[in-house]
Amino acid sequence: MNSRTQTRRPVTRTWCTGWLFPIIMLFAMLAGCASLPDVDYLRRGQLQIQKPTIVTANGTLSDGKAQSMLDRMAAKVGATDILARHVAAEEAISGAPLVAGNKVVLLDDGPITMRAMMNALRTARDHINLETYIIEADEVGRAFADLLIQKRAAGVQVNLIYDSVGALTTPPEFFERLRAGGINLLEYNPINPLKAEGKWDINQRDHRKLLIVDGRVAFTGGVNISRVYGKSSLIRGKNRQAPPEDAKESAWRDTHMQIEGPVVAEFQKLFLDTWRRQTGNDITAKRYFPPLKPEGNALVRALGSTADQEDYSVYKTYVSALSNASNYVHLTTAYFVPDQQIVEAMKEAAQRGVDVKIIFPSFTDHELILYAGRSFYDELLQAGVKIYERRIAMLHAKTAVVDGVWSTIGSTNLDMRSFLHNDELNAVILNVDFAEKMEALFQRDLRDSDQITLETWRQRGIGQKMKEWAVRVLEYWL
């Protein structure tokens, strides 16, 4: 991988263009500033550590059996504080249990993810619960809509939550067709206050991506329902070329996962809770919680952060993981507008000898956010953090792998909007085999990236520096 002094001109998106998006941003700014909690205690290891609760298909393990399970895992990866300290800290942070006996499948490309979800939808017999930030009326969105209507006609209950801003450019006729087909629709925090039920907050968005079929299989990660995932991001050899001017015309590199086993019930609870919080009502009862048997050997924690509850569980989990890493932290993030506490946790990890590598996009669908993220490069590089920018395919993944055993995949970007204003969803996976797959994926992305060194970064033009400075002032609202 070659270092470089110049970065290509950012590719910008066409979504939310025109007069409406500036008005939305103005309302968001006028909503006032919130702030993240002080988590210095996590960085200093001062949290009151609790014994981890591990739940199986047959109930909660005793303290001794739970610790024995973690000890066996620790023996496979060597010295790391991730299992000794972070696992217990994470439970205190979120209150969500670690659930044993799960099968997790890494979905590392758009077409692979779409095929897996469509195949699962075809097997539905009782219900389909789908929650997404974006659902577009393109060839991918229409294929999903056709299948959902078909399954509803066959007697399967279909419940769809979509975000009002994420679906801003999706024609009303698309949703009218779904509704006419008998599908239960929930528009999350409608932009139009006349359509909102109860509390209306234009700044709070549902950024989650979650599909649950029959309460037995779940999908989550960074993938929306859009044609940008119809193209493979696994570009090789002569097919490598500069990205198109519109990011929507590029293949998007994203990461998703398929989960089977007892933890699916935890994801189901999060979906039903969102519906209840938005409507004040429960969905008509179906067989949402069937008996679930062990399907694999992965420990999984379902972390759902909710802005109006101010739990900040995903944010705290990232800080704790960085603070308890012993060997390496390998992060991939699409949008990077963090608060200073996240930055300090990254710098402190690198300074104590942890191999901290971060892969960012080299072009994006949000130009302002690209420059906001780059405004942090100098201080991260000075501290020893290694920075890379991925070429060709548009990077949209939000993942991390730590010390060969702890991984996370989800919807959460390392930015203020995700931490403060969005409903987000991440799965935390404790499993050596899955971490190996995550690390192999990270190394694959690394080969498709250019390293940014401190020396070459400081040689960038004054124009780039001015853009970074100007955008940094607005980082809270990006």
Side-chain angles (χ1 to χ4, degrees):
M1 284 158 288
N2 299 319
S3 60
R4 61 183 185 178
T5 59
Q6 298 296 323
T7 52
R8 64 172 56 91
R9 182 162 61 88
V11 178
T12 55
R13 67 185 289 173
T14 57
W15 302 348
C16 300
T17 55
W19 58 270
L20 188 54
F21 186 61
I23 290 176
I24 293 170
M25 292 302 296
L26 177 61
F27 270 111
M29 292 181 183
L30 292 176
C33 295
S35 59
L36 288 162
D38 182 351
V39 292
D40 188 65
Y41 64 96
L42 292 175
R43 291 170 39 219
R44 306 302 173 207
Q46 296 170 346
L47 180 69
Q48 184 66 40
I49 298 297
Q50 301 179 8
K51 292 182 178 179
T53 300
I54 297 181
V55 175
T56 70
N58 298 317
T60 303
L61 292 180
S62 67
D63 290 346
K65 289 183 178 179
Q67 191 58 53
S68 177
M69 182 179 291
L70 293 174
D71 288 344
R72 288 195 299 273
M73 194 177 300
K76 295 181 180 181
V77 294
T80 173
D81 282 340
I82 282 292
L83 289 168
R85 295 186 58 81
H86 173 68
V87 170
E90 194 172 72
E91 182 164 329
I93 289 166
S94 69
L98 268 173
V99 183
N102 303 286
K103 176 184 177 182
V104 288
V105 177
L106 180 62
L107 304 172
D108 62 356
D109 196 30
I112 292 171
T113 300
M114 291 300 166
R115 283 195 297 272
M117 291 198 293
M118 296 286 277
N119 288 339
L121 289 174
R122 293 186 183 98
T123 69
R125 296 292 179 268
D126 185 75
H127 68 272
I128 294 166
N129 288 337
L130 174 61
E131 184 173 1
T132 184
Y133 179 63
I134 292 168
I135 182 166
E136 296 197 317
D138 54 25
E139 58 271 27
V140 170
R142 289 193 301 271
F144 266 81
D146 291 346
L147 188 49
L148 293 177
I149 291 170
Q150 176 187 329
K151 298 306 294 188
R152 182 67 193 98
V156 175
Q157 186 186 79
V158 181
N159 306 306
L160 169 60
I161 302 173
Y162 65 93
D163 186 80
S164 186
V165 170
L168 190 63
T169 60
T170 304
E173 295 78 17
F174 179 84
F175 297 110
E176 289 168 5
R177 177 171 175 255
L178 290 171
R179 188 175 288 106
I183 293 169
N184 297 320
L185 297 179
L186 171 58
E187 181 180 359
Y188 186 96
N189 277 359
I191 296 173
N192 181 355
L194 299 179
K195 294 170 62 178
E197 298 182 19
K199 178 183 175 183
W200 179 65
D201 185 352
I202 197 170
N203 210 22
Q204 184 178 332
R205 308 312 329 157
D206 184 356
H207 195 244
R208 296 177 179 179
K209 292 88 176 169
L210 176 63
L211 170 64
I212 303 168
V213 177
D214 289 343
R216 297 185 179 280
V217 58
F219 295 82
T220 196
V223 174
N224 290 289
I225 311 302
S226 168
R227 68 184 178 89
V228 299
Y229 298 107
K231 303 175 184 178
S232 176
S233 63
L234 307 180
I235 304 167
R236 293 290 180 267
K238 64 180 180 181
N239 293 323
R240 292 174 180 272
Q241 56 186 352
E245 288 300 308
D246 182 358
K248 289 280 284 178
E249 299 305 319
S250 173
W252 283 33
R253 217 324 260 133
D254 216 330
T255 306
H256 225 62
M257 64 184 296
Q258 178 176 338
I259 312 164
E260 296 174 77
V263 80
V264 172
E266 299 301 313
F267 290 98
Q268 186 80 285
K269 291 174 187 175
L270 291 169
F271 179 92
L272 297 175
D273 178 66
T274 300
W275 194 284
R276 189 180 303 114
R277 283 187 291 109
Q278 280 282 295
T279 67
N281 301 308
D282 292 322
I283 315 172
T284 303
K286 295 294 283 185
R287 202 160 180 253
Y288 292 129
F289 297 99
L292 296 171
K293 66 182 188 300
E295 300 288 350
N297 58 4
L299 287 166
V300 181
R301 196 189 306 270
L303 289 180
S305 63
T306 304
D308 57 9
Q309 295 178 359
E310 298 185 345
D311 54 13
Y312 310 113
S313 57
V314 178
Y315 170 74
K316 293 177 181 177
T317 291
Y318 265 106
V319 174
S320 182
L322 285 161
S323 300
N324 288 295
S326 302
N327 304 315
Y328 71 82
V329 175
H330 292 165
L331 295 159
T332 306
T333 186
Y335 308 117
F336 187 68
V337 193
D339 79 323
Q340 197 58 37
Q341 293 181 108
I342 284 276
V343 173
E344 291 302 321
M346 291 175 172
K347 290 161 57 178
E348 289 163 0
Q351 288 165 347
R352 67 174 183 269
V354 175
D355 177 38
V356 182
K357 291 189 175 82
I358 311 174
I359 301 177
F360 297 105
S362 62
F363 67 99
T364 183
D365 59 339
H366 285 294
E367 183 176 1
L368 295 180
I369 295 178
L370 184 73
Y371 284 111
R374 287 174 175 171
S375 72
F376 291 93
Y377 283 11
D378 197 279
E379 64 176 307
L380 290 171
L381 290 167
Q382 281 193 79
V385 175
K386 301 178 183 71
I387 292 176
Y388 302 81
E389 288 190 352
R390 198 182 192 280
R391 302 183 298 272
I392 313 302
M394 159 66 190
L395 183 66
H396 192 252
K398 311 98 167 50
T399 64
V401 57
V402 180
D403 287 357
V405 66
W406 184 96
S407 307
T408 188
I409 296 173
S411 65
T412 310
N413 292 300
L414 296 179
D415 65 3
M416 299 286 279
R417 168 152 291 282
S418 289
F419 295 142
L420 282 171
H421 300 301
N422 291 346
D423 283 13
E424 301 282 3
L425 178 62
N426 273 55
V428 171
I429 308 98
L430 296 180
N431 182 265
V432 174
D433 292 338
F434 189 77
E436 287 179 355
K437 292 181 175 67
M438 288 286 289
E439 177 61 15
L441 176 57
F442 183 86
Q443 293 298 328
R444 188 185 79 190
D445 283 332
L446 210 61
R447 290 192 292 271
D448 288 336
S449 303
D450 295 314
Q451 184 171 7
I452 309 296
T453 67
L454 182 59
E455 179 182 2
T456 57
W457 183 245
R458 288 181 171 174
Q459 295 173 15
R460 70 196 186 283
I462 187 65
Q464 286 197 55
K465 293 178 181 178
M466 291 298 293
K467 288 179 181 179
E468 293 158 17
W469 175 85
V471 174
R472 184 74 172 262
V473 176
L474 300 173
E475 64 182 1
Y476 174 85
W477 292 282
L478 296 179

Short mmCIF file of all heavy atoms in Angstrom, two decimals, residues 183-204:
data_model
loop_
_atom_site.label_atom_id
_atom_site.label_comp_id
_atom_site.label_asym_id
_atom_site.label_seq_id
_atom_site.Cartn_x
_atom_site.Cartn_y
_atom_site.Cartn_z
N ILE A 183 -49.64 -4.82 4.37
CA ILE A 183 -48.44 -4.72 5.21
C ILE A 183 -48.61 -3.60 6.23
O ILE A 183 -49.09 -2.51 5.90
CB ILE A 183 -47.20 -4.49 4.33
CG1 ILE A 183 -46.94 -5.75 3.49
CG2 ILE A 183 -45.97 -4.14 5.16
CD1 ILE A 183 -45.92 -5.56 2.40
N ASN A 184 -48.24 -3.87 7.47
CA ASN A 184 -48.28 -2.85 8.53
C ASN A 184 -47.06 -1.94 8.38
O ASN A 184 -45.93 -2.41 8.46
CB ASN A 184 -48.27 -3.51 9.91
CG ASN A 184 -49.49 -4.37 10.15
OD1 ASN A 184 -50.59 -4.00 9.77
ND2 ASN A 184 -49.29 -5.52 10.79
N LEU A 185 -47.29 -0.65 8.18
CA LEU A 185 -46.20 0.31 7.97
C LEU A 185 -46.10 1.28 9.13
O LEU A 185 -47.11 1.76 9.65
CB LEU A 185 -46.43 1.11 6.68
CG LEU A 185 -46.44 0.35 5.36
CD1 LEU A 185 -46.69 1.31 4.21
CD2 LEU A 185 -45.14 -0.40 5.15
N LEU A 186 -44.88 1.58 9.52
CA LEU A 186 -44.61 2.61 10.53
C LEU A 186 -43.54 3.54 9.99
O LEU A 186 -42.40 3.12 9.76
CB LEU A 186 -44.14 1.97 11.84
CG LEU A 186 -43.63 2.92 12.92
CD1 LEU A 186 -44.68 3.95 13.30
CD2 LEU A 186 -43.17 2.15 14.15
N GLU A 187 -43.91 4.80 9.76
CA GLU A 187 -42.95 5.82 9.35
C GLU A 187 -42.38 6.45 10.61
O GLU A 187 -43.09 7.10 11.37
CB GLU A 187 -43.62 6.89 8.49
CG GLU A 187 -42.67 7.97 8.01
CD GLU A 187 -43.37 9.02 7.16
OE1 GLU A 187 -44.60 8.90 6.93
OE2 GLU A 187 -42.68 9.98 6.74
N TYR A 188 -41.07 6.24 10.84
CA TYR A 188 -40.44 6.69 12.08
C TYR A 188 -40.27 8.20 12.08
O TYR A 188 -39.68 8.77 11.16
CB TYR A 188 -39.09 6.00 12.25
CG TYR A 188 -38.42 6.27 13.57
CD1 TYR A 188 -38.53 5.38 14.63
CD2 TYR A 188 -37.64 7.41 13.75
CE1 TYR A 188 -37.90 5.62 15.85
CE2 TYR A 188 -37.01 7.66 14.96
CZ TYR A 188 -37.15 6.76 16.00
OH TYR A 188 -36.52 7.01 17.20
N ASN A 189 -40.78 8.86 13.12
CA ASN A 189 -40.68 10.32 13.29
C ASN A 189 -40.89 11.05 11.96
O ASN A 189 -39.95 11.63 11.40
CB ASN A 189 -39.33 10.71 13.89
CG ASN A 189 -39.32 10.59 15.40
OD1 ASN A 189 -40.31 10.23 16.02
ND2 ASN A 189 -38.19 10.89 16.00
N PRO A 190 -42.13 11.07 11.48
CA PRO A 190 -42.39 11.74 10.19
C PRO A 190 -41.89 13.17 10.16
O PRO A 190 -41.99 13.90 11.15
CB PRO A 190 -43.92 11.69 10.09
CG PRO A 190 -44.33 10.55 10.95
CD PRO A 190 -43.34 10.51 12.08
N ILE A 191 -41.33 13.56 9.02
CA ILE A 191 -40.87 14.94 8.85
C ILE A 191 -42.04 15.90 8.99
O ILE A 191 -41.92 16.98 9.55
CB ILE A 191 -40.18 15.10 7.49
CG1 ILE A 191 -38.93 14.25 7.41
CG2 ILE A 191 -39.83 16.57 7.24
CD1 ILE A 191 -38.30 14.22 6.05
N ASN A 192 -43.17 15.49 8.47
CA ASN A 192 -44.38 16.30 8.57
C ASN A 192 -44.98 16.15 9.97
O ASN A 192 -45.46 15.07 10.33
CB ASN A 192 -45.40 15.85 7.52
CG ASN A 192 -46.67 16.67 7.55
OD1 ASN A 192 -46.86 17.52 8.42
ND2 ASN A 192 -47.55 16.41 6.60
N PRO A 193 -44.96 17.19 10.81
CA PRO A 193 -45.46 17.05 12.18
C PRO A 193 -46.94 16.70 12.24
O PRO A 193 -47.40 16.16 13.25
CB PRO A 193 -45.19 18.43 12.79
CG PRO A 193 -45.10 19.37 11.63
CD PRO A 193 -44.51 18.55 10.52
N LEU A 194 -47.70 16.98 11.16
CA LEU A 194 -49.12 16.65 11.16
C LEU A 194 -49.35 15.14 11.08
O LEU A 194 -50.42 14.66 11.46
CB LEU A 194 -49.80 17.34 9.97
CG LEU A 194 -49.74 18.88 9.97
CD1 LEU A 194 -50.43 19.42 8.73
CD2 LEU A 194 -50.38 19.45 11.24
N LYS A 195 -48.32 14.42 10.61
CA LYS A 195 -48.43 12.96 10.52
C LYS A 195 -47.90 12.26 11.76
O LYS A 195 -48.10 11.07 11.94
CB LYS A 195 -47.66 12.46 9.29
CG LYS A 195 -48.24 12.89 7.97
CD LYS A 195 -47.29 12.56 6.83
CE LYS A 195 -47.04 11.07 6.71
NZ LYS A 195 -46.15 10.76 5.57
N ALA A 196 -47.21 13.01 12.61
CA ALA A 196 -46.58 12.40 13.78
C ALA A 196 -47.61 12.10 14.85
O ALA A 196 -48.58 12.82 15.03
CB ALA A 196 -45.51 13.33 14.33
N GLU A 197 -47.38 11.01 15.56
CA GLU A 197 -48.23 10.65 16.70
C GLU A 197 -47.48 10.96 17.98
O GLU A 197 -46.45 10.37 18.27
CB GLU A 197 -48.59 9.15 16.64
CG GLU A 197 -49.37 8.77 15.39
CD GLU A 197 -49.75 7.30 15.38
OE1 GLU A 197 -49.73 6.69 16.45
OE2 GLU A 197 -50.07 6.78 14.30
N GLY A 198 -48.01 11.89 18.76
CA GLY A 198 -47.35 12.23 20.01
C GLY A 198 -46.11 13.05 19.79
O GLY A 198 -46.09 14.00 19.01
N LYS A 199 -45.01 12.67 20.42
CA LYS A 199 -43.75 13.42 20.36
C LYS A 199 -43.23 13.51 18.93
O LYS A 199 -43.26 12.54 18.17
CB LYS A 199 -42.72 12.72 21.25
CG LYS A 199 -41.35 13.39 21.22
CD LYS A 199 -40.38 12.59 22.06
CE LYS A 199 -38.98 13.16 21.96
NZ LYS A 199 -38.00 12.35 22.70
N TRP A 200 -42.77 14.70 18.56
CA TRP A 200 -42.20 14.90 17.22
C TRP A 200 -40.81 15.48 17.36
O TRP A 200 -40.62 16.54 17.93
CB TRP A 200 -43.09 15.85 16.41
CG TRP A 200 -42.56 16.11 15.02
CD1 TRP A 200 -42.42 15.21 14.02
CD2 TRP A 200 -42.12 17.36 14.50
NE1 TRP A 200 -41.92 15.81 12.89
CE2 TRP A 200 -41.72 17.15 13.15
CE3 TRP A 200 -42.01 18.65 15.02
CZ2 TRP A 200 -41.24 18.15 12.34
CZ3 TRP A 200 -41.53 19.65 14.21
CH2 TRP A 200 -41.15 19.40 12.88
N ASP A 201 -39.82 14.77 16.86
CA ASP A 201 -38.43 15.22 16.94
C ASP A 201 -37.77 14.96 15.60
O ASP A 201 -37.40 13.84 15.29
CB ASP A 201 -37.70 14.48 18.07
CG ASP A 201 -36.28 15.00 18.28
OD1 ASP A 201 -35.82 15.81 17.46
OD2 ASP A 201 -35.64 14.58 19.26
N ILE A 202 -37.62 16.02 14.82
CA ILE A 202 -37.05 15.86 13.48
C ILE A 202 -35.59 15.44 13.53
O ILE A 202 -35.05 14.87 12.59
CB ILE A 202 -37.21 17.18 12.68
CG1 ILE A 202 -37.01 16.91 11.18
CG2 ILE A 202 -36.25 18.25 13.18
CD1 ILE A 202 -37.38 18.08 10.31
N ASN A 203 -34.92 15.68 14.64
CA ASN A 203 -33.50 15.38 14.76
C ASN A 203 -33.25 13.92 15.13
O ASN A 203 -32.15 13.42 14.95
CB ASN A 203 -32.87 16.29 15.81
CG ASN A 203 -31.42 16.59 15.51
OD1 ASN A 203 -30.98 16.46 14.37
ND2 ASN A 203 -30.67 16.96 16.52
N GLN A 204 -34.25 13.23 15.66
CA GLN A 204 -34.07 11.85 16.08
C GLN A 204 -34.49 10.92 14.97
O GLN A 204 -35.64 10.92 14.53
CB GLN A 204 -34.89 11.56 17.35
CG GLN A 204 -34.65 10.16 17.89
CD GLN A 204 -35.43 9.92 19.17
OE1 GLN A 204 -35.71 10.85 19.91
NE2 GLN A 204 -35.78 8.67 19.42
#
